[in-house]
Amino acid sequence: MSALTRRAFTASATLALAASPAFAPLAMARPRARPLVIAHRGASGERPEHTLAAYQRAIDQGADYIEPDLVMTRDGVLVARHENEISETTDVADHPEFADRRTERVIDGVRVAGWFTEDFTLAELKTLKARERLPALRPASAAFDGQDPIPTFQEVIDLAKGQSARTGRTIGVYPEMKHPTYFEARDLPMGETLAGVLRDNDLDRRYAPVFVQCFEPRPLRAFRDRSRAPTVLLVGVGGLSDAQLTEAAEFSDGLGPELKMVLNLDAAGLPAGPLIARAQAAGMKVHPWTVRSENSFLPAALRRGEAPGDHGDAATLLRALYLAGVDGVFTDFPELAVRVREAMFEA
């Protein structure tokens, strides 16, 4: 998650974060059920994120859900981008016809400079091509720069439906509403638009293959009043009291905590804390984010090699999460997550 997203959560959250209780030994945990593998922005460790190519690769690798972050165009269309500022993830800076669109905006209290999706129509955005957001860490993915356009959320749904029919297994979608309060202030009602798209695609059901996630509690609660689709509250740091979990469970079917909220990443054996069991006791699924294979994202004990982009032992991190009883896990490398899951749950 970006620094901007983290700050947005801090600024908008109505659920105060409390200190976590002591960790329990991982050795005492047991897998409770076969967890979901959620392809975070697609197979984004291997292809530029939020492209149909990244989502297709994740599906081919066995992911259960593909995850698009959603922002909006000037003409009110939901598109898949990490942020509404798109200079990092597209070639917009190479388009002289859009040079005068560069500007500054304050998004959830943070001043950001660049090009913003809400200043472009869908037709204009479709002239851009996607780029790898982390080229220094992921040069192999960056080799695919310039090949894929920005997909709409409808195109992501169509891909999931088509590949479900092709493979004979259900492939769900896991959209995140990015900065919904900001977009609402610009007369772009994200929650209402998203609810409409889900209705149009027969995904407005309690047990539909979809989860709608957001860091902002108020828009997520408002979305719950518009749609029967399952919801997930994303949380960033610290822990949640039982009372706060109970409140969250009123409008959220699941909790999406940062990895360090469910595992002690600095301790030997990666012992699990109590948040998973507490959230599940409140009736919520638990889907932590995000497992990545590069050293720069791994605990020190799991790093291998010298370079930040070298791949470490993410398999051990996945095993710890599965043993801790998570209901699903976000990952940039779904092939690894599927392989570890199959070894643990289907042997």
Side-chain angles (χ1 to χ4, degrees):
M1 303 290 175
S2 70
L4 178 57
T5 299
R6 292 173 188 267
R7 293 180 192 176
F9 167 71
T10 301
S12 64
T14 59
L15 302 176
L17 296 176
S20 296
F23 288 102
L26 176 62
M28 300 301 292
R30 293 291 184 271
R32 62 188 296 273
R34 189 174 184 270
L36 298 174
V37 171
I38 305 154
H40 184 241
R41 311 170 191 167
S44 55
E46 301 179 35
R47 297 291 186 276
E49 64 190 28
H50 296 310
T51 59
L52 293 183
Y55 295 128
Q56 181 64 64
R57 187 158 181 82
I59 292 166
D60 292 342
Q61 292 175 345
D64 303 295
Y65 280 76
I66 51 177
E67 188 244 11
D69 297 339
L70 299 182
V71 294
M72 298 192 75
T73 67
R74 188 173 70 195
D75 44 349
V77 180
L78 293 165
V79 295
R81 283 293 88 190
H82 174 56
E83 291 286 352
N84 54 322
E85 199 290 299
I86 54 173
S87 61
E88 283 189 321
T89 62
T90 74
D91 62 355
V92 64
D94 298 335
H95 286 251
E97 68 273 25
F98 298 136
D100 62 351
R101 306 280 179 95
R102 193 177 192 280
T103 187
E104 289 190 358
R105 293 275 159 73
V106 177
I107 303 173
D108 302 325
V110 181
R111 183 168 293 279
V112 182
W115 288 263
F116 299 86
T117 59
E118 62 269 24
D119 294 331
F120 293 78
T121 65
L122 177 62
E124 289 173 330
L125 282 181
K126 282 293 188 180
T127 67
L128 307 180
K129 297 295 184 181
R131 285 181 171 174
E132 169 56 49
R133 189 172 58 87
L134 303 171
L137 288 179
R138 295 173 173 174
S141 175
F144 295 90
D145 284 359
Q147 297 188 13
D148 296 284
I150 297 173
T152 65
F153 181 43
Q154 184 61 57
E155 288 174 318
V156 177
I157 293 174
D158 291 343
L159 177 66
K161 286 184 173 181
Q163 293 301 303
S164 294
R166 180 185 70 84
T167 62
R169 60 188 179 86
T170 300
I171 298 158
V173 291
Y174 206 125
E176 179 184 347
M177 295 191 292
K178 298 296 287 277
H179 313 301
T181 300
Y182 168 84
F183 280 107
E184 288 172 8
R186 301 185 70 83
D187 295 322
L188 291 168
M190 178 175 284
E192 180 181 336
T193 304
L194 176 55
V197 173
L198 296 182
R199 283 194 301 272
D200 291 344
N201 287 276
D202 192 32
L203 293 172
D204 182 25
R205 296 178 282 112
R206 295 300 300 147
Y207 298 102
V210 61
F211 290 96
V212 174
Q213 55 176 329
C214 189
F215 274 95
E216 299 179 47
R218 185 199 59 78
L220 194 64
R221 186 187 285 272
F223 176 84
R224 187 62 171 267
D225 293 335
R226 297 186 176 102
S227 176
R228 293 170 292 178
T231 53
V232 173
L233 178 66
L234 300 171
V235 290
V237 291
L240 294 168
S241 70
D242 289 337
Q244 290 162 346
L245 280 175
T246 299
E247 181 184 352
E250 294 175 0
F251 60 90
S252 182
D253 301 283
L255 192 70
E258 193 172 358
L259 288 176
K260 62 185 177 182
M261 295 178 68
V262 298
L263 297 179
N264 186 341
L265 300 178
D266 297 321
L270 305 176
L275 180 60
I276 297 169
R278 290 169 54 222
Q280 290 167 345
M284 306 173 79
K285 303 290 186 183
V286 180
H287 299 160
W289 49 270
T290 301
V291 175
R292 299 176 168 105
S293 292
E294 292 92 355
N295 281 336
S296 60
F297 300 114
L298 289 172
L302 299 183
R303 295 169 191 163
R304 303 291 183 266
E306 299 298 325
D310 287 348
H311 284 203
D313 184 11
T316 290
L317 177 57
L318 286 160
R319 281 191 289 269
L321 288 165
Y322 293 159
L323 282 170
V326 299
D327 299 284
V329 63
F330 287 87
T331 179
D332 290 7
F333 294 88
E335 183 176 33
L336 177 63
V338 169
R339 187 166 69 245
V340 172
R341 180 183 66 182
E342 301 313 294
M344 293 181 65
F345 289 84
E346 297 190 3

